[in-house]
């Protein structure tokens, strides 16, 4: 029995739990990742084959264990309900908020505002990874992020902070300034030293899937089967992180919406998100204000409502972490979701 899925016939089978939140829950239904969603059926996916739905109890015990077990807390936060990760880009060129918080004082105020709006975690970044963004030297990235983290901490903020970086030096400086976790869009492939920094500091790490380097990743990205390819790639990065000494219970996975993906790829990943629970780890979704939301939503400039809709599609599939720009709107949407469905 593989860790990633299980075998059936000739091909690898990938079990995707069909996530439900309906109040009428059959006896014997399983909790999804220890959260409020449940499942009693599973869609078995196989490359090149039609999928087939089977009752959940048909799955091997180890597969069921990974799908149902509660996830380890993230920087002290329980993950039995969706958590909001507020984005703070201290950059001149991020695709959505670039230039607005480059000034340290503006960044500090924005960080405090995001927490007041209900962010459970602040994700602070000093390098844009949008297609075509200019590379940033380590010293510059540190100068943008570490002082803001230090200022938030000296102002008394206790909210968890992740540093959004691909670089060991930037992560080290951020952790020294008071950050609690590392968020790497390259899943520890960009800087060979970053895994060691994370392992030594014993902090959580978010491993995000990307295909290709930021500069060229949107030039005709292709997959055999985007959902299964991203799943396999994340499984491999999780194994590499463990081999580098990072404890499995400190790893979060993220399919990397928009990173080497077309709009159709993004939709396939959002639609199939619950598959990723099969790795037995918390799942982060970062779709906020990304291009496909403007395209499908019909207004390239007003992407908040569409972002909230996609965040809720993630919540409906048991995603534990939502990386968003619009914290207040997402918080309000979650409150309504909870009022309707209860518990979540
Ligand atoms: N998306 C962006 C940056 N970091 N990290 C994770 N884990 N998941 C994501 O989806 C993700 C991420 C891109 O968004 P943003 O930070 O708004 O833009 P930019 O890279 O231009 O700063």
């Amino acid at each position: 029995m593989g860790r990633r899925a299980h075998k059936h016939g000739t091909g690898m089978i990938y079990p995707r739990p069909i996530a439900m939140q309906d109040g009428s829950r059959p006896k014997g239904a399983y909790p999804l990742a220890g959260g409020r969603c449940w499942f009693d059926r599973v869609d078995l996916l196989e490359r090149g084959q039609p999928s087939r739905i089977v009752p959940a109890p048909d799955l091997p015990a180890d597969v069921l264990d990974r799908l149902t077990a509660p996830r380890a807390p993230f920087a002290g936060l329980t993950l039995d309900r969706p958590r909001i990760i507020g984005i703070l880009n201290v950059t001149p060129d991020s695709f959505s908020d670039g230039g607005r918080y480059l000034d340290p004082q503006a960044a500090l105020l924005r960080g405090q505002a995001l927490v007041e709006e209900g962010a459970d975690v602040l994700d602070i970044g000093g390098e844009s990874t949008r297609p075509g963004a200019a590379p940033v030297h380590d010293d510059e990235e540190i100068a943008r992020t570490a002082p803001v983290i230090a200022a938030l901490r000296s102002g008394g903020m206790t909210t968890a902070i992740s540093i959004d970086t691909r670089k060991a030096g930037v992560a080290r400086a951020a952790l020294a300034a008071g950050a609690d976790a590392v968020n790497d869009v390259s899943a520890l492939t960009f800087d060979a030293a970053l895994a060691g920094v994370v392992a030594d500091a014993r902090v959580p790490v978010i491993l995000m899937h990307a295909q290709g380097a930021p500069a060229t990743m949107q030039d005709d990205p292709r997959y055999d089967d985007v959902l299964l390819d991203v799943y396999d790639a994340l499984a491999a990065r999780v194994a590499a992180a463990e081999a580098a000494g990072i404890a499995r219970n400190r790893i979060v996975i993220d399919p990397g919406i928009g990173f080497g993906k077309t709009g159709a790829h993004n939709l396939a990943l959002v639609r199939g998100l619950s598959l990723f629970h099969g790795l037995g780890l918390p799942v982060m979704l970062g779709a906020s204000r990304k291009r496909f939301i403007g395209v499908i939503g019909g207004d390239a400039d007003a992407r908040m409502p569409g972002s909230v809709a996609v965040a809720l599609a993630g919540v409906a599939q048991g995603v534990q972490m939502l990386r968003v720009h619009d914290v207040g709107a997402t918080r309000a949407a979650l409150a309504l979701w909870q009022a309707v469905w209860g518990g979540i």
Side-chain angles (χ1 to χ4, degrees), residues 253-314:
I253 50 171
D254 181 333
I257 299 299
F259 281 79
K261 281 114 187 163
T262 63
H265 293 146
N266 291 333
L267 287 178
L269 288 168
V270 173
R271 204 176 285 129
L273 266 177
S274 64
L275 176 75
F276 293 96
H277 296 300
L279 286 170
L281 299 172
V283 180
M284 174 182 271
L285 175 64
S288 184
R289 298 190 192 169
K290 286 184 179 168
R291 188 167 176 277
F292 78 109
I293 289 181
V295 172
I296 296 172
D299 185 341
D301 298 325
R303 300 185 186 180
M304 184 276 280
S307 299
V308 169
V310 175
L312 291 181

Side-chain angles (χ1 to χ4, degrees), residues 59-121:
L59 291 178
D62 62 334
V63 175
L64 268 178
D65 272 358
R66 284 198 298 280
L67 291 173
T68 57
R71 303 316 187 213
F74 178 89
L77 284 173
T78 62
L79 296 181
D80 50 353
R81 63 197 133 110
R83 298 294 188 171
I84 297 180
I85 292 60
I87 301 168
L88 175 53
N89 285 316
V90 192
T91 62
D93 57 348
S94 286
F95 76 88
S96 175
D97 55 356
R100 292 179 63 185
Y101 312 114
L102 190 56
D103 169 62
Q105 188 59 23
L108 177 67
L109 291 176
R110 176 64 176 168
Q112 289 166 338
L114 288 173
V115 169
E116 268 162 41
E117 286 179 35
D120 297 301
V121 180

Side-chain angles (χ1 to χ4, degrees), residues 33-36 77-84 120 315 318-322 331 334 338 343-344:
R36 268 49 173 237
L77 284 173
T78 62
L79 296 181
D80 50 353
R81 63 197 133 110
R83 298 294 188 171
I84 297 180
D120 297 301
V315 170
V319 159
Q320 292 91 352
M321 302 177 77
L322 302 167
R331 178 60 69 205
L334 278 180
Q338 178 173 21
I344 290 179

